[in-house]
Amino acid sequence: MKHKPILYTAVILAILFVILIVSAIGMFYYVFSIPEPEGLSLASWPHTFTDNFSIWIEEKDGSIGVKQIGVERLDEYGLWVQILDENGQEIYAHNKPENYPDDYSITELVEFTESGYENGNTVFISSVTISDRTLNYVVGFPYAIGKTMLYYNGENVARLSPFTKSIVFFFACVVVLVAFVYAFWLSRKLTTIINGIRSMAANQYTPLKETGVFSEIYGSLNEMNMKIRRSEKVQQETDRTRKEWIANITHDLKTPLSPVKGYAELLSDGSSLDLQTIQDYGKIILKNVNHIEKLMNDLKLTYQLEANAIPYTPQEIKIVRLLRELVIDIANNPAFSKRAIEFESTMPEQVIAVDSDLLRRAVGNIIINALVHNSVDTKVKITISNAANSKILIAISDNGNGMDETELSDLWNRYYRGTNTKERPEGSGLGLAIAKQIIALHGGDISVVSNPGLGTEFTILLPCGAGTN
């Protein structure tokens, strides 16, 4: 595993070397080659062709001409030829362009040896001896071919050749050595990163020093480790709170089950009981069964809301009337009949689209929570008014015990139960969590402000929806 980065680097270097060689060959052919009918040839091919063309020049019946095979080659390659006598006068031509003369001076012939691409042709000159006559001939090629000559000191070049080979070999060794040193260094760095990831997975991570080329990666690993530890801490706290909540709800279920079981046994033991006693026992059993049912419904509802599985059926309703009836229902509850509950609306009746059952549940949970977690002389006020951005504001405030920062931070936790009641509340600890989820389902926001000894105020903002009636 440790040597894999070195192997990878060696493979990459080999691939780069092959690419370099192929690129050099391709560049060589791109610069030093020309396309011709039989394929791609070196740019020196026209000069070679011109020198070898002499074998196809012949004298027949006292006339100078070109053999049939030579003519065919000229036509095949799109070339032209012009044969000159000793005085530069044309004695034979084939395919010669009209813009080339019929005779040349010695100076013009010499210039042809260095001339470049002109009039759509590059011209090469050579000579042939026939019947003791030295004839010059010109061959024209339709290619832009450079004729730059390079002169050098052959003796010095021969002397430098072994030295140059040594230098090239030395630099090649240096490059290979540097590559392997770099691969070894890179291998160590990658091993550090891999070991860090493995130790993080094994929960044994030690923060890395954020220095060097890989400082950003080390920093990211350290940050990831902190987030994982933070997440684990939150998970542990959530698990602890969940266990406490399960213990509480188990106790709360056992509490109403005990009288249900006890009074059910009294009713079933066959003793003669008068009608009033039976009715009293039945009321006690029914009260506790209702309490158990409420606990189970709260538990079911919170998980339905979290999984988006709750039936949500918004309809247009009169929001002020809905909340007023909710407050009246709570005030008429025998458990809260002697409590101070006030309702106030500072806006005209307004119709909005909400799920009335869910919204009653959310606002009702907050109101009942304020009543349960405060003393009997606490005043609870519900206010509804218009807010900015076409929203409706519902405020539930009380002048009770209030909450500190610790309680506020856990308030929306579905496993959290308040600590301000002197007696154990007959609730599931899910009321406020359910309320927050329902308000969010309606596209609204809920917030809370509280101070110990001064009271608490919940604020709900709902979109107006259907408009004003």
Side-chain angles (χ1 to χ4, degrees), residues 378-454:
T378 299
K379 178 180 178 181
V380 178
K381 183 177 181 180
I382 299 89
T383 305
I384 180 170
S385 60
N386 285 318
N389 300 322
S390 300
K391 291 187 176 182
I392 293 175
L393 186 148
I394 304 170
I396 300 101
S397 60
D398 65 66
N399 59 351
N401 300 321
M403 292 176 284
D404 57 25
E405 292 295 330
T406 302
E407 290 179 291
L408 284 174
S409 63
D410 291 327
L411 193 62
W412 306 113
N413 190 329
R414 65 179 181 175
Y415 303 119
Y416 177 73
R417 301 183 66 163
T419 59
N420 287 337
T421 51
K422 295 181 180 180
E423 299 178 359
R424 176 180 293 276
E426 293 187 355
S428 61
L430 296 171
L432 293 181
I434 290 173
K436 184 178 180 66
Q437 290 173 299
I438 291 175
I439 297 303
L441 187 64
H442 283 80
D445 297 305
I446 184 169
S447 59
V448 59
V449 177
S450 184
N451 292 293
L454 298 179

Side-chain angles (χ1 to χ4, degrees), residues 148-160:
T148 302
M149 300 296 294
L150 178 64
Y151 299 92
Y152 60 88
N153 188 322
E155 183 179 353
N156 290 341
V157 170
R159 189 184 303 116
L160 288 174

